[in-house]
Amino acid sequence: DQQVKQNSPSLSVQEGRISILNCDYTNSMFDYFLWYKKYPAEGPTFLISISSIKDKNEDGRFTVFLNKSAKHLSLHIVPSQPGDSAVYFCAASAGGAQKLVFGQGTRLTINP
Amino acid sequence: NAGVTQTPKFRILKIGQSMTLQCAQDMNHNYMYWYRQDPGMGLKLIYYSVGAGITDKGEVPNGYNVSRSTTEYFPLRLELAAPSQTSVYFCASSDRQTGLGEKLFFGSGTQLSVL
């Protein structure tokens, strides 16, 4: 029962272009969504989040879009940089951090 | 500022052995968590704690125990290690009181192999 799914295990993007990472969820009770970024041999680090009362949140080069009717969120990175190469996890919660559910992750590679 | 510190970074155990994964945070966070990550899978919550003296099971608690006697430390105990416990273990903390409880701060992980 995978409540949060990232269907693309990997994504390769040219430097300077837009990277779009996708995430689907099944639980309509989720009310808070986050993206974490993970480099090899390090723990995940928080990147950006969005509440279910919004449909978009921006932070510099990173924008998260939420489509509640489709139960879908996406992370846009513009422009993509080599340092963005990492594994990205989406996560969702319904009622607190102890209920956080993670997707499987998408490995993003930015090519020069 | 150290953040969340995990030790050891790597460990190989034989089936049936026991060990404790250490976790310490210096941010005075009230919430702490233990996750495991298997290859190609997301992070699964093992146990969590909302404060000293209070712990609760997560999604995959079997084979593990935790304790939280102070705010800073949250060790994870593996009793009778099994090959199914081969994984990367992450400790994390968050500050629920600021309303940002879902913003977790992770340690760098412990890679455990049970052979």
Side-chain angles (χ1 to χ4, degrees):
Chain A
D1 179 21
Q2 190 81 25
Q3 295 187 70
V4 178
K5 293 183 183 179
Q6 294 176 256
N7 291 316
S8 298
S10 63
L11 176 67
S12 187
V13 174
Q14 198 89 17
E15 181 179 357
R17 300 285 185 112
I18 182 171
S19 295
I20 300 175
L21 294 91
N22 295 302
C23 180
D24 296 298
Y25 62 95
T26 58
N27 188 343
S28 58
M29 299 300 291
F30 286 145
D31 57 4
Y32 199 69
F33 304 88
L34 308 93
W35 286 93
Y36 283 83
K37 175 179 179 179
K38 184 184 179 304
Y39 292 120
E42 294 183 12
T45 56
F46 170 78
L47 187 59
I48 192 169
S49 63
I50 187 167
S51 164
S52 60
I53 63 173
K54 294 186 175 182
D55 54 19
K56 177 183 173 181
N57 189 29
E58 274 184 273
D59 185 1
R61 296 186 298 113
F62 303 92
T63 302
V64 57
F65 294 93
L66 176 62
N67 183 334
K68 289 186 289 293
S69 61
K71 294 190 176 69
H72 177 83
L73 68 156
S74 60
L75 174 68
H76 293 211
I77 306 173
V78 183
S80 299
Q81 298 175 355
D84 297 329
S85 294
V87 176
Y88 290 78
F89 292 97
C90 73
S93 76
Q98 66 272 30
K99 311 280 188 190
L100 207 54
V101 179
F102 285 82
Q104 309 97 304
T106 296
R107 181 178 301 279
L108 175 66
T109 303
I110 306 301
N111 301 306
Chain B
N1 197 358
V4 179
T5 303
Q6 288 184 241
T7 56
K9 291 193 183 300
F10 304 95
R11 184 71 185 268
I12 298 174
L13 283 182
K14 293 183 179 178
I15 295 172
Q17 285 186 321
S18 300
M19 77 163 294
T20 299
L21 281 67
Q22 300 293 345
C23 177
Q25 55 98 1
D26 62 1
M27 296 173 283
N28 201 34
H29 285 170
N30 43 3
Y31 276 37
M32 294 187 76
Y33 316 83
W34 275 104
Y35 285 89
R36 59 177 285 173
Q37 185 194 5
D38 299 327
M41 304 293 287
L43 286 80
K44 302 283 187 185
L45 182 64
I46 304 171
Y47 270 96
Y48 68 96
S49 168
V50 301
I54 306 169
T55 62
D56 208 346
K57 295 177 181 178
E59 186 180 356
V60 290
N62 292 343
Y64 307 95
N65 276 301
V66 293
S67 60
R68 184 131 180 243
S69 56
T70 67
T71 301
E72 296 80 10
Y73 299 102
F74 190 41
L76 178 72
R77 179 80 177 163
L78 279 73
E79 304 281 1
L80 299 174
S84 61
Q85 293 178 304
T86 294
S87 189
V88 181
Y89 291 84
F90 291 101
C91 179
S93 70
S94 68
D95 187 0
R96 185 67 173 153
Q97 291 175 351
T98 65
L100 297 173
E102 290 88 348
K103 181 181 175 182
L104 272 59
F105 293 81
F106 285 87
S108 57
T110 296
Q111 187 163 332
L112 176 68
S113 296
V114 182
L115 305 174

